[in-house]
Amino acid sequence: MKNKIYNILVMGMGVLVSTACSDFLDKMPDERTELNTVENVVDLLKGSYPSNNYQFICELSSDNFIDNNAPHLPSNPNDKQIENHYNYPSAARWNDEMFQFEEPLSATYSDSESHGRVWDGWYNSIAAVNAALEAIDNLAKEEGIDSHEDYGHLSPRLRAAYGEALLLRAYDHFVLANIFGQAYRNEAQSAKDISIAYVTEPETELQKNYDRLSVKEVYDLIIKDMEEGLKYVSDSYYDAPKYHFNTNAAHAFAARVYLFHHDWDKCIAEANQVLGTNDASLLRMSMDYSIFSDCASSSDYGNKWQDPKLNNNLMLLDTYSSYSRLVFGYRYSVAGEAASEVLMVRTNSELWNSYIANPITMVSGMLFSSSQHDYGFYSCKINEQFQMLDKIAQTGYVHQIIRAFTAMDLLLERAEAYIMKNDLANASHDLQAYWNNSIETFSEKDKETFVTPGDIKLLTDNMIKSNFKNKTNCFANWDFVSQNISSAIHITPEAVPYMNCLNDFRRFEHSFEGMRFFDLKRWGMEWTHYYGLDKKAIVMKGVDKRRALEAPWEAKFNGAGSSRPDMVSVTETNARRELVAPKYSQFRINSNK
């Protein structure tokens, strides 16, 4: 085989995908590792996982955050119910733009947590994966295998690397598609909706333009890569399997893709591969809240939430991120009425009495707030991990672990698939398991504190049907058809309480983690952001082009088109493009699609 040195072109302002990949990228081309051995390919894959965090921009774009500067009721239902506001500053000007559903033109690739940084980092991951896949193809030829159809006969380690690379490429595109594209609706409608570019070739040009595909085309390619990768994924070769696409994570990813693609039976089948089909296996995979019993600090709680040894944690992503510093004490945060809904902070809860906050939240140390000002809540789920480089100067890198896939989330995805099939008995079973298994895993100390008669109620089917029957939703009776969300989804009247319960649980389960934005988009739910002291109402309709976040202007500065034609596109004549001169290769999108 002709030795080939891979020059992974960075698609942003020098943002590197991870420590391992940084070492690779920082070397001059003639010093870089030649990808001519399985070990070198595996090393590249280890550093190919995205290291940029999408959670803040998704939360900011959802109904989970409010503008603290806009008058709002307090989070605590026991406080005097009068509107108040707090003049907290924005962390950055582009936060104001994004909260108003505008194109964040003041953001650049250099802004931490920005949409440009996410775009850059996740396409960077794709570029590295594509280089690894090309190297795998070359190594396969050395083994005498020329066709992908025969890759089942590759040497075991190379076969596993091939499966991991395909799964990662599919996952990268899936996340980008759900941020920068429209949700999947059905085959006909989604063939018209614009999504992202799906990149399958290594970066070999300094600047290359790509066509944005339809939502349908992107999902077809995601499923193709994912299903091929599932054939070869293996748990046999990882020192830290939870930071890779291990077998459970691969099945959880497949379940999520099938759910979003409306393949209900396939979603259920993939979820069963992880959760099992009996209560014992389901309890074993559920979140274990007893682990928090001896925690004393936010770091203690954060380490427990992000622990790779937890059965609940299926795959973790290590990102460079200061996200946890942005949710507490700035202008936009989980506060007011939004906090009441997100965290189920209620005095009239269907599931407990005598408490303002959800006892599960209190047991897990997940909830922190100020006792003096109602300026937002903080969750230990997103607690940062600090990598110290200089102990004297106290400098280093801020990391935040993304729990990319968990068993509890997978359980709710399976419940949703059952609801969509109108299999309400199994849906009820999974919804009950989500809540009741959590209570079962409380430590004995916490059970003595919280589980007294009448304090916490175990969820029953009758409770779902009665207490969640008339809960307010963003459109009547979850009617996806008349709202033009999708003609493929039909919710029966008797299924409405189950969807209401699912909506509550998913919003709570994913609090602070960004997935609420994906749910709002694919469910077509309408929400309103109230902005500024005059409480300007900015409404996101059920079908709205603004649901697809605008691609960063650097990616389309050459007159490239917008995924949202209602937004202003940055062109060659726009002086703004002079603010940042691209230092490295730019991933650019064409305007012809």
Side-chain angles (χ1 to χ4, degrees), residues 53-60 64-68 88-95 98-99 111-115 117-118 320-335 375-379 382-384 398 400 512:
N53 195 313
Y54 60 82
Q55 293 174 323
F56 178 68
I57 61 171
C58 289
E59 290 292 284
L60 187 62
N64 285 353
F65 274 23
I66 69 163
D67 178 6
N68 280 299
Y88 301 124
S90 304
R93 184 157 62 94
W94 63 265
N95 295 180
M98 184 165 281
F99 186 80
D111 288 324
S112 176
E113 318 305 325
S114 70
H115 70 310
R117 186 68 69 88
V118 172
Y320 292 103
S321 173
S322 57
Y323 165 47
S324 64
R325 304 184 183 193
L326 303 178
V327 299
F328 197 65
Y330 283 102
R331 180 170 183 172
Y332 305 104
S333 64
V334 180
Y375 60 68
F377 289 87
Y378 171 80
S379 169
I382 59 168
N383 205 63
E384 71 179 37
V398 179
Q400 196 248 304
F512 299 93

Side-chain angles (χ1 to χ4, degrees), residues 3 7 102 122 137 141 157 170 181 210 228 268 382 418 432 443 468 497 569:
N3 292 342
N7 184 1
E102 297 174 353
W122 288 67
D137 287 343
K141 290 176 183 177
R157 187 65 188 94
Y210 295 88
E228 184 72 4
I268 293 166
I382 59 168
Y418 280 131
Q432 291 176 65
S443 69
F468 288 93
S569 294

Side-chain angles (χ1 to χ4, degrees), residues 4 76 80 155 157 171 183 231 248 255-256 281 334 347 352 361-362 425 429 440 458 464 476 502 505 565:
K4 187 168 184 177
N76 188 335
K80 189 174 182 179
S155 55
R157 187 65 188 94
Y171 176 60
K231 297 177 185 176
N248 278 346
R256 183 174 297 172
S281 63
V334 180
T347 55
W352 64 87
T361 302
M362 299 169 72
H429 173 273
E440 287 295 326
L458 294 177
I464 295 174
L502 176 80
F505 285 175

Side-chain angles (χ1 to χ4, degrees), residues 146-191:
D146 294 323
S147 171
H148 288 167
E149 294 180 357
D150 297 324
Y151 271 24
H153 301 297
L154 289 173
S155 55
R157 187 65 188 94
L158 188 61
R159 186 169 64 239
Y162 178 62
E164 180 182 7
L166 287 176
L167 287 162
L168 180 52
R169 185 168 73 181
Y171 176 60
D172 286 342
H173 283 102
F174 176 79
V175 171
L176 288 167
N178 278 281
I179 295 174
F180 297 102
Q182 296 293 341
Y184 185 87
R185 296 197 283 171
N186 59 42
E187 189 165 314
Q189 291 171 306
S190 295

Side-chain angles (χ1 to χ4, degrees), residues 63 146 229 318 373 418 498 566:
D63 59 352
D146 294 323
D318 181 9
H373 297 288
Y418 280 131
Y498 298 89
D566 60 309

Side-chain angles (χ1 to χ4, degrees), residues 152-340:
H153 301 297
L154 289 173
S155 55
R157 187 65 188 94
L158 188 61
R159 186 169 64 239
Y162 178 62
E164 180 182 7
L166 287 176
L167 287 162
L168 180 52
R169 185 168 73 181
Y171 176 60
D172 286 342
H173 283 102
F174 176 79
V175 171
L176 288 167
N178 278 281
I179 295 174
F180 297 102
Q182 296 293 341
Y184 185 87
R185 296 197 283 171
N186 59 42
E187 189 165 314
Q189 291 171 306
S190 295
K192 301 174 184 177
D193 291 334
I194 296 300
S195 186
I196 60 168
Y198 203 98
V199 183
T200 58
E201 297 177 355
E203 287 285 314
T204 57
E205 300 176 22
L206 183 60
Q207 288 188 331
K208 185 175 180 179
N209 293 342
Y210 295 88
D211 291 334
R212 298 186 81 147
L213 305 180
S214 71
V215 173
K216 176 189 179 302
E217 290 171 318
V218 169
Y219 266 88
D220 287 346
L221 291 168
I222 289 171
I223 291 171
K224 179 182 177 182
D225 274 351
M226 179 191 73
E227 290 181 343
E228 184 72 4
L230 274 169
K231 297 177 185 176
Y232 308 117
V233 66
S234 171
D235 293 339
S236 302
Y237 305 100
Y238 302 127
D239 296 327
K242 294 294 183 70
Y243 288 91
H244 296 264
F245 260 109
N246 56 78
T247 302
N248 278 346
H251 287 299
F253 173 47
R256 183 174 297 172
V257 171
Y258 288 138
L259 179 71
F260 283 34
H261 195 249
H262 307 162
D263 300 319
W264 320 127
D265 288 330
K266 290 182 179 179
C267 171
I268 293 166
E270 293 295 336
N272 289 345
Q273 292 292 318
V274 181
L275 303 175
T277 57
N278 61 70
D279 291 341
S281 63
L282 183 54
L283 180 61
R284 184 171 61 251
M285 295 302 298
S286 295
M287 181 64 191
D288 181 4
Y289 284 93
S290 69
I291 63 174
F292 301 108
S293 182
D294 297 325
C295 291
S297 68
S298 60
S299 294
D300 292 341
Y301 285 108
N303 290 336
K304 295 295 186 181
W305 271 112
Q306 301 161 11
D307 190 346
K309 296 189 295 294
L310 275 182
N311 289 342
N312 179 58
N313 290 337
L314 305 180
M315 192 173 94
L316 306 171
L317 295 178
D318 181 9
T319 68
Y320 292 103
S321 173
S322 57
Y323 165 47
S324 64
R325 304 184 183 193
L326 303 178
V327 299
F328 197 65
Y330 283 102
R331 180 170 183 172
Y332 305 104
S333 64
V334 180
E337 301 96 315
S340 298

